[in-house]
Amino acid sequence: MTLFTRILILFLYFCQTILFAQEDIYQLSSSKKYANYLYQSGDYYLANQEYERIVFLDSLDQLAKIRLIQSHRFLKNYDVAISKLNVWKIDDYLFSEEHIKLLLLSNQLEEASSFLEKNHNFSNQKQTMYQVATSLLAYDIQKATTLLEKDSISNSSLLNEYQSIITDINQFKSKKIGLALPMSMLIPGTGKMYVGYWKDGLFSLLLTSMSTWQAYRAFDQRGVKSAYAWIYTGLATGFYIGNLYGTVKSVRKFNNHFKHKNIHRIEKITFSTF
């Protein structure tokens, strides 16, 4: 092979390498534009897939990484996003904020408290805000009150919102299964009425009473061998047991409704104020 031939081959190889590199750069740039378009359009599922590919090709793209984490958050893939943050270990404000949001949304409250103690990327006000939110989600009202009394939160509307939640929690009277169940055992439906579900309670009382009365009449008129009487006895027993089960379910539903309503309030305040 002549020297000229070798030089020509090297030159052609060099040109081909440059062309492929330019093509990769172009494709990556297009992928980034497309991923950003999907993200801004709210198509977080497809955006998530594009950002995964971009981060794989360009591990230094911080915007793609934060958008990848945020798209996971919108898709409620909290554990996946947290695991990525733990691997990357990026000491940055935006990544720290995503991390604490994910921990709160996934109800990892102990981890959230530990993260806030070690993290120094937040201002005093924002640090206190997240600590209060963590305490409220854990129903540690005393700690939340103590944090608010430090006056680290200068935003008066935010302060009032948190104090309103604390007041509501302190004034809330949870319903007791130990009280509702005996009430429904003695008089069907009254346990549900105690919880506040009057229509359900009256319906249970009506069904149980009517089926019991029909069973009593059948036994009285046709005797113990009456199939009609035993059918109504079975119905009455079923309605009675269903009344007891429904009472327990109603108490839990009532208490959980209040708890989840406050969780949504806390999340809305904490994630949308700043």
Side-chain angles (χ1 to χ4, degrees):
M1 184 181 292
T2 64
L3 179 62
F4 175 77
T5 304
R6 290 179 180 177
I7 293 173
L8 181 61
I9 291 172
L10 288 172
F11 177 74
L12 292 173
Y13 177 76
F14 177 72
C15 290
Q16 186 180 30
T17 303
I18 291 175
L19 287 172
F20 282 146
Q22 287 178 339
E23 185 177 355
D24 287 343
I25 291 170
Y26 176 76
Q27 288 179 348
L28 183 59
S29 175
S30 298
S31 292
K32 290 180 179 181
K33 290 179 181 178
Y34 181 53
N36 291 335
Y37 167 76
L38 290 170
Y39 180 87
Q40 291 165 2
S41 299
D43 193 342
Y44 301 117
Y45 179 76
L46 290 178
N48 182 273
Q49 294 179 325
E50 284 296 311
Y51 285 126
E52 284 280 9
R53 194 170 73 85
I54 292 167
V55 170
F56 177 76
L57 294 171
D58 184 4
S59 61
L60 298 179
D61 191 331
Q62 300 292 74
L63 176 60
K65 284 186 175 181
I66 196 67
R67 288 282 175 84
L68 174 60
I69 295 300
Q70 289 170 335
S71 62
H72 273 303
R73 173 162 62 83
F74 288 127
L75 293 170
K76 298 185 179 181
N77 300 330
Y78 305 137
D79 291 338
V80 175
I82 291 170
S83 66
K84 287 184 179 294
L85 288 172
N86 288 333
V87 170
W88 292 340
K89 298 184 184 300
I90 300 174
D91 188 19
D92 174 82
Y93 170 78
L94 287 177
F95 287 89
S96 294
E97 186 159 54
E98 282 301 315
H99 204 148
I100 187 61
K101 286 181 179 180
L102 289 163
L103 289 171
L104 293 177
L105 286 168
S106 59
N107 203 37
Q108 299 182 45
L109 303 180
E110 290 185 9
E111 290 83 353
S113 296
S114 177
F115 179 81
L116 288 169
E117 289 176 3
K118 298 174 183 177
N119 192 277
H120 304 289
N121 290 318
F122 300 128
S123 65
N124 289 337
Q125 180 171 225
K126 202 145 197 180
Q127 182 91 354
T128 302
M129 180 189 75
Y130 283 126
Q131 287 175 334
V132 170
T134 304
S135 300
L136 287 174
L137 289 171
Y139 266 62
D140 190 344
I141 308 305
Q142 185 174 357
K143 184 177 180 180
T145 304
T146 302
L147 287 166
L148 288 174
E149 288 174 350
K150 290 182 178 179
D151 294 329
S152 297
I153 299 179
S154 58
N155 187 324
S156 59
S157 61
L158 177 62
L159 188 63
N160 291 336
E161 289 280 4
Y162 279 136
Q163 289 174 337
S164 174
I165 292 173
I166 290 173
T167 300
D168 289 346
I169 292 174
N170 285 331
Q171 292 179 349
F172 176 69
K173 295 180 180 179
S174 63
K175 302 301 181 181
K176 310 295 182 183
I177 292 177
L179 178 58
L181 194 57
M183 289 176 67
S184 283
M185 290 174 70
L186 292 172
I187 304 176
T190 53
K192 293 181 181 180
M193 296 177 196
Y194 152 73
V195 174
Y197 301 130
W198 284 89
K199 289 183 180 178
D200 287 348
L202 289 170
F203 189 64
S204 293
L205 177 60
L206 182 63
L207 285 179
T208 308
S209 300
M210 286 180 63
S211 56
T212 302
W213 172 248
Q214 290 294 338
Y216 170 76
R217 284 187 62 193
F219 278 122
D220 185 53
Q221 294 176 2
R222 304 182 185 185
V224 294
K225 294 183 179 181
S226 169
Y228 180 80
W230 285 109
I231 289 172
Y232 270 104
T233 299
L235 286 173
T237 303
F239 287 139
Y240 182 75
I241 293 172
N243 147 71
L244 299 180
Y245 173 76
T247 298
V248 174
K249 193 174 179 180
S250 295
V251 172
R252 289 174 177 167
K253 179 181 177 182
F254 179 86
N255 292 335
N256 286 334
H257 175 73
F258 177 81
K259 184 176 181 179
H260 287 301
K261 183 181 74 173
N262 279 313
I263 288 173
H264 292 313
R265 286 176 67 190
I266 294 163
E267 290 175 354
K268 183 179 179 181
I269 295 166
T270 306
F271 298 159
S272 64
T273 303
F274 288 85

